[in-house]
């Protein structure tokens, strides 16, 4: 068994790793950014696949990974983890439908609320204690899922028709353009930015360049908030206009 994940600020990696450790002490996890991820998929039959949910949909980078590697999913047994800040509806179902199209068997899905990575929208921010409680509750929920899975009872979050309607009419129908294409409107405050290059090295899309001692963003952002969360000068904003909190999983783990 292996875990495959995409994670911007560490939430999904934490959840996939926690589940894999509970199910298989010899299990290994791989980011979809790892060069060896595709090879690892070919060498196993059981896969835990995790990603954050944006606007009740899959991040564009994750959808592209699934579609671009369509031939790898034939005959695989998939369990899906979807992490979210507020609500997803059929967060796990969004990828489950793709995996089934490519010949995989979806065993179950697990939805987990985690600290919201969108740190430039004030209304989405919670206290440090509240975020730590979210992570603790998610870990407990994963432990419960592990117990069930070991006895053959897989949680089925996000996989039925009612979940699909909730996701569609809850967010996805209205925000489809946010995830259908890559994002283009990242902002950098040049008065704060020192062009250290941290964001350049961290971007999973290679969407950031350093030109003439200035940071420039292209038009292929997957909204993972990794650059935002790690900027030492808090010079980057994505959806909002002000940095309220840089959210990273290490702040919330007990």
């Amino acid at each position: 068994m292996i875990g495959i994940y995409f994670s911007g600020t560490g939430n999904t990696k934490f959840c996939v790793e926690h589940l894999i450790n509970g199910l298989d002490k010899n299990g290994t996890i791989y980011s979809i950014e790892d060069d060896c991820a595709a090879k690892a998929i070919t060498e196993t039959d059981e896969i835990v696949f995790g990603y954050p949910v944006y606007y009740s949909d899959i991040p564009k980078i994750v959808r592209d990974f699934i579609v671009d590697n369509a031939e790898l999913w034939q005959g695989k047994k998939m369990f899906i983890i979807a992490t979210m800040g507020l609500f997803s509806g059929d967060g796990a179902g969004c990828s489950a439908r793709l995996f089934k199209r490519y010949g995989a068997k979806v065993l179950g899905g697990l939805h987990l609320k985690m600290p919201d990575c969108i740190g430039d929208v004030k209304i989405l921010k919670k206290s440090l204690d509240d975020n730590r409680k979210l992570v603790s509750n998610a870990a407990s929920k994963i432990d419960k899922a592990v117990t069930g899975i070991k006895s053959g009872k897989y949680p089925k979050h996000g996989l039925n028709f009612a979940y699909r309607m909730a996701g569609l009419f809850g967010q996805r129908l209205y925000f489809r353009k946010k995830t259908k294409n890559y994002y283009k409107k990242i902002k950098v405050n040049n008065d704060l930015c020192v062009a250290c290059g941290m964001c350049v090295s961290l971007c999973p899309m290679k969407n950031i360049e350093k030109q003439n001692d200035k940071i420039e963003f292209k038009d292929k952002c997957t909204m993972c908030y990794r650059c935002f969360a790690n900027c030492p000068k808090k010079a980057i904003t994505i959806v909002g206009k002000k940095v309220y909190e840089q959210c990273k999983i290490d702040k919330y783990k007990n």
Side-chain angles (χ1 to χ4, degrees), residues 105-119:
K105 180 179 181 180
V106 177
L107 301 175
L110 183 62
H111 286 179
L112 298 166
K113 285 190 177 182
M114 294 290 283
D116 203 309
C117 68
I118 303 177

Side-chain angles (χ1 to χ4, degrees), residues 10 14 17 131-132 135-136 248-254:
F14 169 85
E17 189 170 43
N131 280 329
R132 284 177 173 166
V135 174
S136 178
K248 290 185 285 188
I249 187 64
D250 290 342
K251 293 170 59 176
Y252 312 127
K253 292 189 295 187
N254 293 322

Side-chain angles (χ1 to χ4, degrees), residues 78-186:
M78 310 293 299
F79 182 80
I80 301 164
I81 288 180
T83 61
M84 63 207 70
L86 292 175
F87 163 83
S88 76
D90 58 339
C94 290
S95 66
R97 293 188 288 274
L98 282 175
F99 287 130
K100 288 178 182 178
R101 183 188 305 171
Y102 299 134
K105 180 179 181 180
V106 177
L107 301 175
L110 183 62
H111 286 179
L112 298 166
K113 285 190 177 182
M114 294 290 283
D116 203 309
C117 68
I118 303 177
D120 50 1
V121 177
K122 189 175 183 179
I123 196 172
L124 298 178
K125 294 302 95 199
K126 294 181 173 65
S127 70
L128 180 60
D129 285 344
D130 285 343
N131 280 329
R132 284 177 173 166
K133 189 175 295 183
L134 281 175
V135 174
S136 178
N137 289 344
S140 296
K141 195 171 181 179
I142 293 168
D143 291 338
K144 183 177 179 181
V146 166
T147 300
I149 290 170
K150 286 182 175 179
S151 63
K153 297 177 181 178
Y154 290 82
K156 305 285 186 178
H157 301 173
L159 301 182
N160 65 30
F161 182 75
Y163 279 114
R164 187 171 185 178
M165 291 300 99
L168 179 63
F169 291 105
Q171 289 192 86
R172 191 162 60 250
L173 188 64
Y174 314 102
F175 297 104
R176 180 64 173 161
K177 290 183 180 179
K178 295 284 189 180
T179 53
K180 184 178 181 180
N181 300 302
Y182 287 107
Y183 191 69
K184 302 177 181 179
K185 298 180 180 179
I186 308 175

Side-chain angles (χ1 to χ4, degrees), residues 2 27 37 41-42 58 62 66 86 93 102 124 138 144 184 189 195 209-210 223 226 231 252:
I2 63 170
I41 292 168
T42 65
I58 315 174
V62 176
I66 296 172
L86 292 175
Y102 299 134
L124 298 178
K144 183 177 179 181
K184 302 177 181 179
N189 185 333
E209 294 181 345
K210 184 176 177 180
M223 298 179 71
R226 195 181 295 171
C231 177
Y252 312 127

